[in-house]
Amino acid sequence: MTITTEHAIIHEIAQDGQGQMRCRLRPQPLLNRQAVDTMLDELHQSYSSKAGKGFGFFGTHTEDGEANEAFSQALTQYRNGDLGFVEFSSNASQLLQEELSKYDFSQGGFLLLSCYTHMASDYLFVALLSAKSSMTVLDDMELSQNNHLDLNNIQLAARIDLTEWQADKESRKYISFIRGRAGRKVADFFLDFMGCVEGINTKAQNKSLMHAVEDFVSSSELTKDERQECRNRVFDYCTERANEGTDIEVKDLADELADQGAESFYDFAANGRYELDDEFPADKASLRQLKKFSGTGGGVTLSFDGGHLGERVIYDPVSDTILIKGVPANLKDQLDRRMKGE
């Protein structure tokens, strides 16, 4: 178990007979501690490793800001001891119900709120869960249909780093959230009920880091193998941070590369050209370019390990061609059979 659960509760938001959204509030926290700890530990691990999350902070969307500050105000009261957890969660559920009532597309769901501690940081996890139907076989070999929470397909979830929120008022990334499959707008209503504003472009920061790393190794007097080793170190460090759910720290990364040339990577990256923050979340999709080259276009998809460039894979920018030495066996078999058929 990697987390310590303080409180957890589930409320239901669903349509009534007239099609209006209504809350069904639970009057006390969840009592089955073993089941709660197991579920939240699983959710924490899967959420931390999920790629493509957005990051933000409590802000306002409306001119007066009153509606959007209700969640953060209630959370402040809870953290100050002026509001109990059940009362806070009930307020949050009603805020989400009001937000959902503005839209026609939502069927509601089960709102999970949980406060827990992981590695000396306090978190609030907020997720709107859906129920999924499944079939099971009873003792008498009869079929029975059951509903269970779909924990493997969570699309509406956010996690607030309560420790960072209260310690650093200038932070713009203490709230993380899952981006919708079709982009952030799919989850706008979920962020709006919390008053969350996107505060940092994680993908842009990671791409700037990748550019800085490439420029750094290109400008240093390293061999081809040493350059790839440098990229591998960056990839391993950033991937580890992504899996842990912690930020990339440019100074720490520079220490990892301390023996890769005379110039400090931290000084190199801080020259203003890359516009890098000292700390920012990792984005796994952006990190892959340290290991692989890939692209799709015109009916052709190509991907290969970066270490093969200049050896098995020869790129000629003048003629706009790529020569591959040693065609993969399964591809070679397909090509040979096609050639024989023609």
Side-chain angles (χ1 to χ4, degrees), residues 175-278:
I175 303 176
S176 63
F177 56 89
I178 297 176
R179 292 183 182 276
R181 288 178 176 174
R184 178 184 179 277
K185 289 189 178 299
V186 174
D188 269 356
F189 76 89
F190 189 69
L191 300 182
D192 288 346
F193 108 89
M194 292 186 294
C196 175
V197 178
E198 189 163 10
I200 181 172
N201 190 327
T202 306
K203 190 175 291 291
Q205 284 286 300
N206 279 258
K207 286 185 176 181
S208 292
L209 176 63
M210 299 304 101
H211 292 157
V213 170
E214 285 300 325
D215 291 347
F216 178 73
V217 298
S218 298
S219 63
S220 59
E221 296 179 359
L222 300 175
T223 65
K224 181 178 182 296
D225 289 341
E226 289 172 337
R227 290 180 181 182
Q228 191 57 43
E229 173 60 23
C230 180
R231 297 185 186 98
N232 291 341
R233 289 191 188 186
V234 175
F235 179 84
D236 292 342
Y237 169 85
C238 295
T239 301
E240 181 180 358
R241 288 301 177 108
N243 291 336
E244 292 174 350
T246 54
D247 288 349
I248 294 171
E249 298 181 33
V250 179
K251 274 196 172 182
D252 282 354
L253 178 58
D255 291 340
E256 294 285 327
L257 306 178
D259 59 346
Q260 298 289 330
E263 185 177 10
S264 163
F265 176 73
Y266 182 78
D267 294 336
F268 182 89
N271 65 13
R273 188 184 352 168
Y274 304 103
E275 298 183 351
L276 279 174
D277 294 341
D278 284 340

Side-chain angles (χ1 to χ4, degrees), residues 60-61 88 116 133 136 143 252 306 316:
T60 59
H61 295 278
F88 159 69
Y116 64 85
S133 178
T136 187
L143 285 176
D252 282 354
D316 184 352

